[in-house]
Amino acid sequence: MSRRPSRAPWRRTLPGALAGAALVAGLATLQRALLGFPAGLISSPRGYLIPALVGGLAGGALAWAWHRLREAEDRYRTVADLATEMIFWRDEAEVVRYASPSCLALTGYTPEELTGTPGLLARLVHPEDADLYRDHRHGVDASGLVQGLEFRIVRKDGAVRWVRHLCRPVLDGAGAQVGVRGSHSDITAEKALQAQLLQVQRLETVGQVAGGVAHDLRNVLTGVIGPATLIQERSQDPEARAAADEILEAARRASGLARDLLDLARREPLRLEPTPLRALVRGSERLLHRVVGDRIMVVFEDDGAPLPVAGDARRLEQVLLNLVTNARDAMPEGGLITVSLRAVPGPVPSALLAVRDQGSGMDPATCGRIFEPFFSTKEAGKGTGLGLSVVDRIVREHHGRISVASAPGRGTTFEVLLPLLPAARAAAAAPAPVA
């Protein structure tokens, strides 16, 4: 949108100058008439010329000063109104004298509410940060920079936001502080990114340590599994064979932990090859039945489609095993686990692998953290918290996604979507034949 160009300075000040000249000349004439000055003096050109000249100059100066003042006020008000930060000024009595319009987006309060409610600005500070805010000294540091502070505020609707606070004292002519000018910038998103970065850095460190531990653990297990296998195969003593079985079972569990640690550390390369998902799942039936035990039944559901995906067969078996093991642990008294497979049409036709249990279920807060490394709902010593985080990583490395649906007392369903290979995508996207 175009704006009219501002008038030249002389065109802005000329009306004021003329008005001032006329006003002063008129006052001079009235004064001379009332005080009885000689008519000749009154009629003298200089009797009007000098007052008119002085009045014109004074009027022009006043008009120019007024224009510059209004121009500066408009400029700073525009800056404040368009600023994304909340700009405010408050006095020593905690009364906000000015708050920019952006305060509504940040705090939920209008400028009128902030300026009309003494102390409201301080009450926005989160209770846990109140002491930090109270002890903050407004001013500049040794380098002359404005002091800053980061803390949380509670919006009018109860939401918590992080803000970066900058301020400078307002001093009177004697140097005494009479208020504070300041701003609040919303840094909630920045704080979230910082937390994610710290989490990534922590996981990288853990992964490096885990990779080394996993390799050492595998070397130790090799020395355990060999003798235990020899005892199991050659010993005629039933007790010795039973003990060897327990050793081998513990070694297998430890081997699985080592594999999870290596996956966490990403030490082993992923090998994506055409893999029929149905054959992979069906080929794991016997293993899964042994894993869940006698008190749990595993039921498989599919329509017979091969569902070929680009996958690492060993990693996909690990996904299935971890999900079924997690379902087993959710049903200590026994129950039913359903493993289902089907094609899902869409923009990217996919294979759906779902594992559903009849366990105790999870609340939304737990569901939101279930894929975090080292997060576990199991008792101490009964889980590492790595299984589902490894599953999530493997699925993402296969360009798929995993989701969880659960509610307390209603069991849990994990769904894994993996892109079908091109030929299978065409078959999945084709309309069903009309009977």
Side-chain angles (χ1 to χ4, degrees):
M1 183 176 66
S2 62
R3 296 182 56 187
R4 292 183 59 188
S6 179
R7 294 185 298 173
W10 69 269
R11 296 185 62 185
R12 293 193 296 265
T13 57
L14 182 60
L18 294 176
L23 176 62
V24 174
L27 290 175
T29 302
L30 179 62
Q31 180 188 33
R32 286 167 173 74
L34 292 176
L35 294 179
F37 284 109
L41 179 61
I42 297 176
S43 61
S44 171
R46 288 187 300 174
Y48 293 102
L49 180 60
I50 293 176
L53 180 60
V54 173
L57 292 174
L62 288 174
W64 176 260
W66 178 256
H67 168 74
R68 296 296 294 175
L69 180 62
R70 288 295 302 273
E71 192 177 61
E73 180 183 356
D74 290 344
R75 183 185 304 114
Y76 288 114
R77 184 173 296 277
T78 299
V79 171
D81 289 349
L82 296 180
T84 56
E85 299 88 354
M86 168 187 162
I87 301 172
F88 64 90
W89 176 72
R90 68 164 178 81
D91 61 21
E92 287 296 279
E94 296 292 337
V95 175
V96 177
R97 297 301 183 182
Y98 171 78
S100 62
S102 54
C103 68
L104 179 61
L106 178 61
T107 69
Y109 292 95
T110 64
E112 293 74 22
E113 288 176 304
L114 286 173
T115 55
T117 310
L120 177 58
L121 185 65
R123 292 198 296 272
L124 290 177
V125 180
H126 194 283
E128 296 179 5
D129 296 339
D131 292 341
L132 178 68
Y133 178 76
R134 185 178 59 252
D135 295 339
H136 175 58
R137 293 293 179 264
H138 309 285
V140 295
D141 60 19
S143 65
L145 297 176
V146 179
Q147 292 182 3
L149 184 68
E150 294 180 358
F151 55 85
R152 291 163 293 176
I153 64 170
V154 182
R155 284 174 43 91
K156 187 176 184 179
D157 58 9
V160 177
R161 310 293 292 178
W162 274 96
V163 300
R164 178 177 292 115
H165 167 74
L166 296 174
C167 62
R168 184 185 291 273
V170 178
L171 307 179
D172 62 12
Q177 183 169 330
V178 295
V180 171
R181 297 190 192 97
S183 67
H184 287 345
S185 304
D186 191 340
I187 59 171
T188 306
E190 180 181 327
K191 283 290 185 179
L193 288 175
Q194 290 177 356
Q196 292 177 9
L197 177 60
L198 290 175
Q199 176 73 354
V200 169
Q201 292 173 339
R202 183 175 74 89
L203 289 178
E204 288 179 350
T205 302
V206 171
Q208 293 173 357
V209 175
V213 170
H215 281 294
D216 292 342
L217 181 58
R218 279 188 166 182
N219 293 333
V220 172
L221 289 174
T222 301
V224 172
I225 293 175
T229 302
L230 188 63
I231 294 173
Q232 186 187 51
E233 292 176 351
R234 297 185 180 183
S235 177
Q236 302 299 320
D237 184 353
E239 292 184 0
R241 292 173 61 86
D245 288 340
E246 292 181 4
I247 293 172
L248 289 173
E249 178 60 28
R252 279 192 288 269
R253 289 198 299 270
S255 180
L257 175 59
R259 185 178 62 245
D260 288 345
L261 288 172
L262 286 172
D263 283 331
L264 182 66
R266 292 181 176 176
R267 292 291 184 90
E268 296 185 349
L270 195 69
R271 298 177 180 177
L272 298 181
E273 300 174 345
T275 303
L277 191 59
R278 180 180 182 276
L280 183 145
V281 171
R282 288 296 191 176
S284 304
E285 287 190 39
R286 293 181 61 184
L287 173 62
L288 296 179
H289 284 301
R290 288 200 306 268
V291 167
V292 301
D294 298 332
R295 291 184 296 179
I296 295 179
M297 179 182 297
V298 181
V299 175
F300 295 85
E301 298 177 347
D302 66 76
D303 58 6
L307 302 178
V309 299
D312 185 313
R314 188 187 66 80
R315 301 290 181 89
L316 293 179
E317 286 177 353
Q318 186 178 354
V319 168
L320 177 62
L321 180 60
N322 282 3
L323 291 179
V324 171
T325 301
N326 191 75
R328 177 202 65 189
D329 294 341
M331 300 186 295
E333 304 302 323
L336 175 68
I337 297 175
T338 303
V339 179
S340 59
L341 282 168
R342 63 183 176 88
V344 177
V348 180
S350 304
L352 172 65
L353 168 64
V355 177
R356 182 171 65 253
D357 66 56
Q358 297 176 326
S360 56
M362 299 177 289
D363 57 35
T366 303
C367 288
R369 300 189 58 193
I370 200 66
F371 298 113
E372 292 182 10
F374 306 107
F375 176 78
S376 177
T377 59
K378 302 172 186 176
E379 299 177 9
K382 293 188 176 182
T384 63
L386 289 176
L388 290 177
S389 65
V390 169
V391 166
D392 179 53
R393 172 168 290 178
I394 293 174
V395 171
R396 285 188 284 108
E397 288 175 340
H398 282 75
H399 309 291
R401 64 179 187 272
I402 183 171
S403 61
V404 58
S406 185
R410 297 188 179 182
T412 300
T413 301
F414 286 93
E415 293 188 344
V416 176
L417 279 172
L418 299 172
L420 288 168
L421 289 177
R425 293 183 189 182
V434 178

